[in-house]
Structure formats: structure tokens, C-alpha cells
Amino acid sequence: EAGFQFKNGAYFTWGDRETQFDFRDKLGDGWGTTYQVQRGQFDLVLAKAAARQGADVRFRHEVQTVDVSGKPNLTVKNLDSGEVFRVETNLILDASGFARLLPRLLNLEQPSTFPVRQAIFTQVVDHLGPHTPGFDRQKIRIVVHPKHIDVWYWLIPFSDGRCSLGVVAEAKFLDQFPGDEAAKLKALIAQDPGLQRLLANAEWDTPFRTLRGYSSNVKQLCGPGYALLGNAGEFLDPVFSSGVTIAMTSAHLATKCALKQLDEMVEADAQRDGQADRAPERIAAADPVPKSEHVCRVDAELPHCLLIGRKRDEMFRYRLLILRRGQEPVARRMGIGQRFLRGEGLRRDDEQR
């Protein structure tokens, strides 16, 4: 419906060696296919889906400060009007991805133990047809440098005749190449005969970008009143595009813990007020100070949450979601910390282990 590129597998090449994997060739149940998506358009599809399910979606809002010393609260700025307001909540979940909002604002970052690696990337009009030898638009292409096995490239075809193209290497290796990012990437592509052949007629019409030292680590994944999800916690080379899987699974685990904690808080409130049937209050989309009961930062993959992000097809800079009751996303359990594995709630007075 959104027109994304169908994806059924991956090519891996190294020099003249080549192999491919078909995701449909598997032993277990479940999906054997997926999609290759333009990130900005994909984020907008998710935001609209969240809005259709009742979420209050706000664009062009930026989280400026976070305080978890008492009742968790956030200072938020409307980037269009300049208005600044405060949001109080019971729990904050950070799924801001590479923006790493809570690690930066709460001083949770610590140096990664991995070597400093750098990515240089862009998009091109590829002019590759369905009968181009050695090319399948339905498969991502991962290329290992012919001489330097710790250097790898990606070529991700999209449905509109374009490809995402990039290279990953240690920063000191890329520093050997003269010129700007465009010169470095083109020089490295020229060193792989397969990529050079496929991109011989490509149109380089998109600015080149770079990320340096993107592998990250944090002191802790959760604490009183907050938890980190997906790449907001830790980030590695995404060879198999695992970011969405990690984000979905960590959000699934955190949602279960959040609902358990919120149920206990509601029950305690009801007992104090003598209202055993009291239910959580819904969020009112009011400015300047929303009277929020359960506010959290969760990624757009949770369709029952409120997002605050950037405008339209830009990659979301910050996302703020309001968690309400609803069907939980289905995902396999993956460990993001012993507390989540034990299924415990995130209590404010818990000691971080």
C-alpha cells in the first residue's frame, strides 16, 4: 500500500565470491519476506497509523530537559510557536534511536569498547533493470572489501529506482583517503569490481553524509522512572538491519513492565480514594501543560502511543509517546537486561543493579 520495495533475501559478496540467502527458505514458521524502506517515509507511515488508533501525534516538538529526581517530568518546546511547557509522567521510555535523548540528558553515556568506526553514505539513481546480471532489487547487497575484510559496503534497492549506498570502516582507515565524503566513498567503490560495475551509470544526486563513532554504550539501561529501548541504549553495525527488531522487542518487554507498574499504581490510588473500580485517566491533548497520567518515550512501532517527532518525511529527531492500554505488539523475548527478563516492573524506589 505504501509502495515499499519487497525484500526476500540478501546477497553477500567478497571479491569474486558470492552467495545469497532467501529468507523464505527456512525451517520454522513466520514471515519469510519483508520490505526495504525509505526511513523518512516509513516513519511517517507509522506516525499516521498511531494517529488512526487514537494517539495524539505532535510534530516539530523537541524535548529539552528531563528530570527523574522526583516525579519524572520533561520540558518540551514547540519549534513552530516557540512555546515551552512541562509534562509530568510516571514513566519515561526512550526510543529516540541515534539521538540518544536520555543517555545525553541524564549523563548515562560511556565510551564504547569497540574501535571507532565511521559510515559514509548517500542515495543514488541506480538505473539497474530487472535483467541486470548479478542484481536483484528484492535483495539487499552486502559487500566485503576485496583486501580489507573489516571494511564493508551496503547497497539497498528501493522501489523507485534508487538505492541506499554506503561503506563502513574504522575511522583511521577512511582518513587515509583524500577529499570529502563524496570522494572517499567513490574511491572505495572503485576498489570493488562488482560495485563499480553495478554503479557505472548511477546518478549521484543526493548529498553525502557521515556518522563517526556511532557504536555506543550506557551505564545502565533503566533506572527509577525510565528505561532505554532499542538503539537509544546500545548500537552496533546493523549488517542484518536488526534495529527495528531490537526496538520492537525491547518496547514489548518494557510495555509489559510498564502496564504492571501502572496497574499497581492505579490500584494503590483506588484504595486510598476508596474507588476500587477506578481506571487510568486518558490524556487530554491540552496546551500548555498536558495533564498526563502515563507518558513515555517509545518508538513509533508501538501503534498505541503518542509521538513527538520532526516534520513529515524527515527522520524523527525526538519521539514522545503516551502509553495507553491496548493490544501489545507481538515480538519474541530478547534480553535487554535482567530486570526485563524477570518481568519486573520499573519501580521508582528500586536500586539499579
Side-chain angles (χ1 to χ4, degrees):
E1 183 178 344
F4 294 129
Q5 174 62 50
F6 183 76
K7 178 180 180 178
N8 61 20
Y11 272 108
F12 287 84
T13 70
W14 178 32
D16 57 357
R17 301 180 185 181
E18 181 177 298
T19 188
Q20 61 177 290
F21 293 88
D22 192 319
F23 297 157
R24 298 165 295 183
D25 184 13
K26 56 190 178 62
L27 299 177
D29 297 329
W31 292 98
T33 58
T34 182
Y35 295 93
Q36 294 168 165
V37 304
Q38 296 91 330
R39 177 59 188 271
Q41 183 182 352
F42 181 63
D43 278 350
L44 184 59
V45 168
L46 295 177
K48 289 181 176 179
R52 288 196 299 269
Q53 299 194 36
D56 183 356
V57 182
R58 304 187 186 188
F59 295 94
R60 298 282 297 165
H61 283 64
E62 178 180 277
V63 177
Q64 295 187 322
T65 65
V66 175
D67 183 5
V68 293
S69 59
K71 187 176 181 61
N73 64 87
L74 310 94
T75 301
V76 181
K77 181 178 181 179
N78 184 323
L79 298 180
D80 291 327
S81 68
E83 178 184 28
V84 177
F85 56 92
R86 188 168 63 91
V87 179
E88 288 190 350
T89 177
N90 291 317
L91 178 64
I92 302 172
L93 302 180
D94 182 3
S96 57
F98 189 72
R100 297 170 55 75
L101 183 66
L102 287 188
R104 290 189 295 103
L105 296 180
L106 298 181
N107 193 29
L108 300 176
E109 292 183 306
Q110 63 180 17
S112 172
T113 57
F114 291 93
V116 177
R117 294 178 68 78
Q118 182 176 352
I120 302 176
F121 51 95
T122 187
Q123 290 188 14
V124 299
V125 181
D126 55 64
H127 293 296
L128 296 172
H131 303 297
T132 300
F135 177 76
D136 184 348
R137 190 163 290 277
Q138 297 183 353
K139 291 179 174 61
I140 185 177
R141 192 178 192 92
I142 302 296
V143 179
V144 178
H145 191 282
K147 296 182 179 179
H148 306 280
I149 60 174
D150 60 341
V151 177
W152 63 275
Y153 314 76
W154 76 78
L155 186 68
I156 304 176
F158 298 132
S159 59
D160 59 357
R162 303 178 64 83
C163 279
S164 170
L165 169 68
V167 65
V168 176
E170 288 194 26
K172 61 183 180 181
F173 175 82
L174 296 178
D175 288 341
Q176 302 175 57
F177 292 83
D180 57 10
E181 283 78 14
K184 293 175 185 288
L185 181 55
K186 290 181 178 181
L188 280 162
I189 289 172
Q191 294 184 359
D192 183 82
L195 279 178
Q196 187 177 33
R197 174 181 59 82
L198 288 175
L199 298 172
N201 298 318
E203 294 181 40
W204 304 79
D205 64 344
T206 303
F208 291 73
R209 297 180 57 196
T210 186
L211 289 175
R212 190 182 183 105
Y214 52 79
S215 293
S216 59
N217 201 358
V218 291
K219 299 173 184 176
Q220 55 196 48
L221 289 171
C222 60
Y226 74 88
L228 309 179
L229 307 180
N231 291 341
E234 297 184 357
F235 184 80
L236 303 174
D237 281 354
V239 176
F240 280 104
S241 304
S242 55
V244 172
T245 299
I246 295 173
M248 287 284 289
T249 305
S250 57
H252 172 64
L253 296 174
T255 299
K256 294 176 66 175
C257 295
L259 290 175
K260 178 181 178 181
Q261 176 174 334
L262 295 175
D263 283 341
E264 293 174 354
M265 296 174 68
V266 170
E267 182 179 353
D269 288 343
Q271 291 176 353
R272 284 195 300 269
D273 297 342
Q275 301 174 358
D277 59 346
R278 182 181 176 188
E281 297 178 2
R282 292 290 300 274
I283 292 298
D287 281 325
V289 182
K291 299 296 184 180
S292 55
E293 187 70 21
H294 312 309
V295 178
C296 49
R297 289 186 53 84
V298 193
D299 208 344
E301 285 84 0
L302 284 180
H304 49 285
C305 294
L306 160 76
L307 306 86
I308 291 181
R310 294 189 70 180
K311 193 174 183 179
R312 287 203 172 268
D313 61 343
E314 296 179 44
M315 184 181 297
F316 284 171
R317 182 177 180 185
Y318 299 122
R319 294 172 232 188
L320 178 67
L321 310 171
I322 295 177
L323 178 64
R324 65 175 176 83
R325 296 178 183 277
Q327 182 178 0
E328 296 180 3
V330 178
R332 290 190 177 93
R333 295 179 62 88
M334 291 177 59
I336 63 169
Q338 291 299 317
R339 292 176 48 78
F340 284 159
L341 288 175
R342 293 196 299 267
E344 298 178 3
L346 299 175
R347 301 178 183 277
R348 289 174 44 75
D349 56 351
D350 280 350
E351 293 184 0
Q352 174 64 33
R353 293 178 173 83

